[in-house]
Amino acid sequence: MSPCFNGLVMVSGGMHIPLVLEGPSPKTISTIGGLHQMLGLHEYGYAAVPRDSIQCLPECSSTNKMGASFETPCGRSLIKPVEYIEMISSMRPNLWTTLADEVPAWVSDKRNKTSVDRTVKWLDECIAKSPVNVAGGAVFGSIVGGSTIEERQRCAQEVAVRNVSGYWIGGFGLGESMDERPPLLNTVTDKLPEGKATPYFWALDYQNLMNLLEKPDIYIILLKGRFIVVEEILQGVAAGVDLFDSVKDTTPIVEGCSCYTCKNHTKAYINHLLNVHEMLAQILLEIHNTHHYLGFFHSIREAIKEGKFEQFQKKFVQSRRDHLAASVTSV
Amino acid sequence: NFVMALSFEVLGRFNRARAAQLTLPHFVCQTPLFMPVGTQGTIKGLTTNQLEEIGCQIILGNTYHLALRPTSELIDELGGLHKFMNWPRALLTDSGGFQMVSLLHLADITEKGVTFQSPVDGKPMLLTPEESIQIQNRIGADIIMALDDVVKTTITGPRIEEAMYRTLRWIDRCIAAHKRPHEQNLFGIVQGGLDPVLRDICVRGLVDRNLPGYVYFPSMNSVHVQGQNVIGLNSIQPFRIYAIGGLAGGEDKDSFWRVVAQCTAALPEDKPRYVMGVGYPLDIVVCSALGADMYDCVYPTRTARFGTALVPEGVLKLKHKAMADDTRPIDPTCACMVCKNYTRAYIHCLVTKDAMGSQLLSYHNLYYMMQFSRNLHSSIIEGRFPEFVCDFLQKMFPKGDVPEWVCNAMEVAGIDISSCCAPCPSSQD
Ligand SMILES: [Zn+2]
Ligand SMILES: [Zn+2]
């Protein structure tokens, strides 16, 4: 839940907060004045979701009818809808998603069905219990259903008739194959009313993202930028640029990039920081990668607005192929 | 018509304390000043932009670490450390000797230099005074340090004397090897352990060597010094060790300030005096009162890693349970970015599990040290240094229990601190 240091990182867009990680108590956050105050980033939008894809994963075997369970660095933790709403109320995010029972692809049909029932029930409870004036932010209804078309459909239909501002499509990244995702996603979006925002939430690389974006009317307003970023940092890669090869390279990560990192530092320096395990390596990469992803989404939005998304996608996939080919031949 | 790598102008004094302007190739610094330690060309996840914002004037790099990775040859090839890390202000590198003796068990010191086992391939390697200077010439810092014969403080007897004389012999070799005197200032190091006689011989030896190097500017109270002969002062290991372990004992502190007092009294008035490895605000106040100008220490950033913030009252432990619900800033009187934006409660939850906790604390702690240095400087200039010292001691020792060694040092420094000391039966006046 690191926010960006000194406003350097986020140039626009939203931010994602996993809720279950041990942090200040809801009461303390409320006293501080909510997330915007606590993180000192007043001008940014915050989206609150109960999980993320690295440090706070849904743990379906411990989830029960009382609430959803998550595996976190501080141990397993069960959150009931009422507690969840208390957290939301104290944080005052700009938008938040309802509590979901997310299950992996391999669970039985029965368990998958239960997860849809619970998610819909918790959605009603969350809405009923949320003090409108306190939470304030827009509510996004969670949609699950695992890898079953029928359950996905059922869940989407149920949620679509509720009074929510948007939809959060969950239950991905839990063991389903990559090929399964587009039809499942299409099933869901087909059932949802037009004109409402639908974040799809899972750590994607570019390639996967583009494969999923077959339907350009899916509004991706939020994608977990930070964690993609982190995964790549761990591999010493900055948005596709391999830094472990750049001992003497005095160019920036991306020539012409306007981020703080590229305006101020060379690949050689970042390479050194990575080699000696200095914290600044991650900070600089996070700045660049976040900047890069926000720019990427900006381009997607522009392409959709201008009705040129298909060209954008083709061009993008081609450039990724060229990049891959280039890196193969250079080895 | 030679280029000068350094000028030092005393702007104000209070007895032995001085406030000065130190002009280095990359920055005009105000002293007394604190130099944060950026061992590997970076400081605790802070960007160079932030370090400027904090007010850092000189950053210290460790020659030993930089020579290992990314290597001084590479730094040289890429245009020097300033360019490599994109730091526009001043830099200082140490000689590398201290790291070898303290980090490597197998270091062996002979007249040639320091022999040590390479941490890369385990082969024996030799660092000579010449090589230390060559490496530092390649790194390109504004201030470089002469290789000294470092002796563990636990050692007594003739070895101390040997080390002192060897340090003097080595400084001649360093001076001879120094290839960039117009761009880099070589600081000599006073050795001699805790023995006042040896310290005195060493100081005089360095002062003698210094003679050909400097030129008086008669119109001002300033002296311009040609690069290679500036004197520094090193009260070395005990204080580094204190900084790391926080193990300062009363009698050790007493020898500490006495050595500083002796050296500052004997060193030329017109040269900067650098006390290596000192970083506790209290120690800095004492050394400044005795006439020292420059300090470096890992303390502010290291203590941040363990969740400790520096505040006027001493320290604040952010890991403490009481911080979990505390919605105040770290220090309500601090104007730093962290204190303006974050609460103790938020930092409390970060320090236990996220690197950002120590990063925020490092930011605050360095800001605290810089603000503290600025206040030292201006209080001396404005003739209210004793008030500054008393105010500082009052906040740190509200009960008036100022340690006796501080009282003793202040007496020698001619600073009246009676207003903030409780009457103490053991103190003799
Ligand atoms: Zn960039
Ligand atoms: Zn502060």
Side-chain angles (χ1 to χ4, degrees):
Chain A
M1 107 170 204
S2 291
C4 336
F5 208 93
N6 199 15
L8 280 173
V9 175
M10 304 298 281
V11 286
S12 72
M15 193 170 158
H16 142 266
I17 312 286
L19 290 183
V20 187
L21 280 181
E22 205 176 79
S25 69
K27 195 172 159 280
T28 304
I29 298 177
S30 184
T31 314
I32 295 170
L35 280 176
H36 295 79
Q37 290 289 337
M38 183 173 84
L39 303 177
L41 296 170
H42 308 277
E43 63 273 39
Y44 300 103
Y46 285 97
V49 293
R51 64 165 284 198
D52 67 54
S53 300
I54 288 188
Q55 292 204 312
C56 183
L57 294 160
E59 178 41 64
C60 82
S61 62
S62 300
T63 292
N64 57 39
K65 63 179 183 200
M66 304 300 295
S69 178
F70 299 90
E71 199 72 73
T72 80
C74 321
R76 220 167 259 193
S77 152
L78 185 96
I79 305 291
K80 296 170 189 161
V82 61
E83 294 162 345
Y84 181 64
I85 290 304
E86 197 197 345
M87 289 179 183
I88 296 293
S89 304
S90 70
M91 292 187 175
R92 300 178 212 170
N94 301 79
L95 76 83
W96 57 282
T97 68
T98 60
L99 199 60
D101 177 11
E102 292 185 85
V103 294
W106 59 79
V107 296
S108 67
D109 285 351
K110 194 173 158 240
R111 178 69 184 85
N112 194 25
K113 225 180 164 83
T114 309
S115 90
V116 171
D117 294 342
R118 273 181 199 157
T119 300
V120 173
K121 182 168 162 271
W122 290 344
L123 187 154
D124 289 334
E125 284 177 40
C126 283
I127 293 174
K129 281 174 188 138
S130 88
V132 181
N133 51 335
V134 178
V139 189
F140 277 42
S142 294
I143 297 170
V144 293
S147 303
T148 329
I149 296 278
E150 296 69 39
E151 287 303 315
R152 284 270 169 198
Q153 237 166 19
R154 182 166 75 92
C155 196
Q157 270 165 340
E158 286 286 345
V159 177
V161 298
R162 260 72 177 179
N163 182 23
V164 290
S165 309
Y167 306 95
W168 178 74
I169 310 176
F172 281 107
L174 298 171
E176 79 281 1
S177 75
M178 233 110 80
D179 300 337
E180 276 177 287
R181 286 180 196 170
L184 287 169
L185 205 57
N186 284 341
T187 305
V188 172
T189 51
D190 280 343
K191 298 288 167 213
L192 298 179
E194 285 284 330
K196 285 193 181 181
T198 313
Y200 165 81
F201 203 75
W202 170 239
L204 294 167
D205 56 28
Y206 285 142
Q207 195 68 57
N208 260 316
L209 176 68
M210 294 318 267
N211 290 342
L212 277 164
L213 283 177
E214 280 172 358
K215 275 175 78 89
D217 61 326
I218 295 179
Y219 247 124
I220 299 200
I221 64 162
L222 183 87
L223 181 118
K224 48 185 307 318
R226 173 160 205 256
F227 289 100
I228 310 173
V229 173
V230 171
E231 276 164 25
E232 291 201 336
I233 289 170
L234 295 178
Q235 299 154 18
V237 174
V241 180
D242 187 352
L243 287 163
F244 280 137
D245 235 14
S246 319
V247 180
K248 290 184 185 178
D249 192 337
T250 54
T251 62
I253 297 170
V254 171
E255 206 83 62
C257 174
S258 63
C259 83
Y260 173 85
T261 303
C262 292
K263 281 200 297 201
N264 288 283
H265 293 291
T266 61
K267 281 188 220 160
Y269 181 58
I270 299 167
N271 171 274
H272 162 68
L273 296 174
L274 285 167
N275 282 334
V276 297
H277 310 291
E278 279 284 353
M279 211 194 301
L280 189 60
Q282 296 179 23
I283 307 274
L284 293 179
L285 288 180
E286 189 163 329
I287 290 170
H288 171 80
N289 288 6
T290 306
H291 179 89
H292 200 78
Y293 273 85
L294 292 175
F296 181 62
F297 276 88
H298 176 81
S299 321
I300 292 177
R301 286 194 300 270
E302 291 305 302
I304 294 170
K305 263 192 238 163
E306 291 163 18
K308 292 179 183 161
F309 183 76
E310 216 170 313
Q311 287 128 282
F312 178 86
Q313 189 184 11
K314 276 195 188 119
K315 203 173 136 205
F316 179 83
V317 172
Q318 190 53 48
S319 77
R320 292 293 286 180
R321 269 192 207 122
D322 294 347
H323 180 79
L324 279 175
S327 57
V328 167
T329 45
S330 74
V331 171
Chain B
N1 196 18
F2 60 79
V3 183
M4 282 167 296
L6 174 152
S7 80
F8 185 74
E9 184 186 351
V10 176
L11 304 173
R13 287 175 204 277
F14 197 96
N15 290 343
R16 297 173 65 158
R18 346 71 82 77
Q21 178 166 290
L22 170 66
T23 306
L24 295 170
H26 287 86
F27 200 64
V28 180
C29 314
Q30 310 299 316
T31 73
L33 67 78
F34 177 80
M35 301 179 282
V37 181
T39 299
Q40 323 219 58
T42 163
I43 300 178
K44 301 293 156 207
L46 299 175
T47 64
T48 46
N49 243 18
Q50 288 175 322
L51 293 168
E52 278 191 75
E53 189 179 284
I54 286 167
C56 298
Q57 309 186 71
I58 309 179
I59 292 175
L60 194 145
N62 287 120
T63 293
Y64 170 76
H65 289 97
L66 292 168
L68 276 180
R69 284 183 304 192
T71 74
S72 61
E73 287 80 5
L74 185 88
I75 293 175
D76 190 24
E77 194 183 326
L78 301 185
L81 186 57
H82 285 93
K83 201 172 167 200
F84 185 62
M85 65 184 282
N86 191 29
W87 174 242
R89 298 186 178 177
L91 285 168
L92 180 151
T93 46
D94 62 4
S95 67
F98 178 80
Q99 251 84 21
M100 287 181 186
V101 175
S102 60
L103 299 180
L104 306 169
H105 301 294
L106 293 163
D108 180 34
I109 301 169
T110 60
E111 193 56 31
K112 267 192 190 165
V114 184
T115 309
F116 63 100
Q117 202 179 20
S118 159
V120 180
D121 54 17
K123 282 186 190 140
M125 303 202 19
L126 177 71
L127 180 78
T128 61
E130 290 78 11
E131 245 169 333
S132 169
I133 297 302
Q134 278 158 19
I135 295 169
Q136 295 187 75
N137 279 164
R138 284 194 289 265
I139 295 172
D142 300 70
I143 299 172
I144 64 177
M145 301 300 294
L147 186 69
D148 55 340
D149 184 353
V150 182
V151 187
K152 293 218 163 81
T153 38
T154 44
I155 293 171
T156 50
R159 177 69 186 94
I160 303 280
E161 190 173 349
E162 181 195 40
M164 187 274 289
Y165 282 112
R166 184 171 287 152
T167 297
L168 281 178
R169 289 192 296 275
W170 282 3
I171 184 104
D172 291 330
R173 290 168 58 188
C174 288
I175 293 167
H178 187 16
K179 292 285 184 321
R180 302 174 64 186
H182 300 324
E183 299 141 289
Q184 296 183 284
N185 302 287
L186 175 63
F187 274 37
I189 297 177
V190 181
Q191 274 287 8
L194 300 175
D195 184 335
V197 177
L198 294 181
R199 284 274 173 189
D200 196 52
I201 298 171
C202 196
V203 167
R204 276 190 284 129
L206 287 170
V207 172
D208 289 345
R209 281 162 177 79
N210 192 41
L211 284 173
Y214 54 92
V215 179
Y216 282 91
F217 273 62
S219 60
M220 283 184 291
N221 183 22
S222 78
V223 172
H224 292 248
V225 180
Q226 194 179 20
Q228 68 247 40
N229 291 319
V230 182
I231 302 293
L233 147 69
N234 181 3
S235 4
I236 290 216
Q237 313 95 331
F239 318 115
R240 280 188 196 265
I241 290 159
Y242 295 157
I244 291 164
L247 300 168
E251 62 280 20
D252 289 327
K253 282 292 188 189
D254 219 53
S255 339
F256 157 62
W257 79 258
R258 283 181 203 282
V259 170
V260 173
Q262 188 201 348
C263 294
T264 50
L267 286 167
E269 268 295 299
D270 45 34
K271 306 284 161 61
R273 302 157 180 169
Y274 164 28
V275 188
M276 290 171 87
V278 161
Y280 290 150
L282 180 61
D283 294 357
I284 291 178
V285 166
V286 171
C287 292
S288 300
L290 293 168
D293 311 297
M294 297 165 70
Y295 312 92
D296 83 278
C297 193
V298 292
Y299 174 65
T301 44
R302 178 162 298 178
T303 204
R305 192 148 61 85
F306 300 114
T308 304
L310 304 179
V311 291
E313 295 74 27
V315 293
L316 187 73
K317 308 246 183 218
L318 270 305
K319 277 192 182 167
H320 197 280
K321 271 200 293 276
M323 298 294 142
D325 304 312
D326 197 332
T327 56
R328 287 174 294 173
I330 295 172
D331 172 8
T333 68
C334 176
C336 89
M337 175 277 289
V338 176
C339 292
K340 278 195 287 196
N341 287 300
Y342 302 102
T343 59
R344 295 177 181 183
Y346 176 57
I347 297 168
H348 167 82
C349 91
L350 287 181
V351 283
T352 46
K353 50 181 118 24
D354 197 311
M356 210 188 90
S358 72
Q359 193 192 347
L360 289 178
L361 284 180
S362 291
Y363 188 106
H364 165 81
N365 285 356
L366 289 181
Y367 187 90
Y368 179 87
M369 295 306 293
M370 296 308 147
Q371 189 56 41
F372 175 69
S373 309
R374 281 193 288 268
N375 292 342
L376 274 171
H377 179 87
S378 57
S379 73
I380 295 168
I381 300 250
E382 291 160 17
R384 46 177 185 81
F385 182 59
E387 288 86 341
F388 173 82
V389 174
C390 283
D391 191 47
F392 172 82
L393 292 174
Q394 221 145 32
K395 284 195 186 112
M396 196 159 270
F397 306 101
K399 291 185 208 127
D401 51 344
V402 178
E404 205 177 332
W405 70 272
V406 177
C407 300
N408 294 340
M410 288 302 173
E411 203 180 320
V412 167
I415 308 294
D416 179 11
I417 56 164
S418 52
S419 71
C420 52
C421 289
C424 172
S426 69
S427 80
Q428 295 158 15
D429 210 35

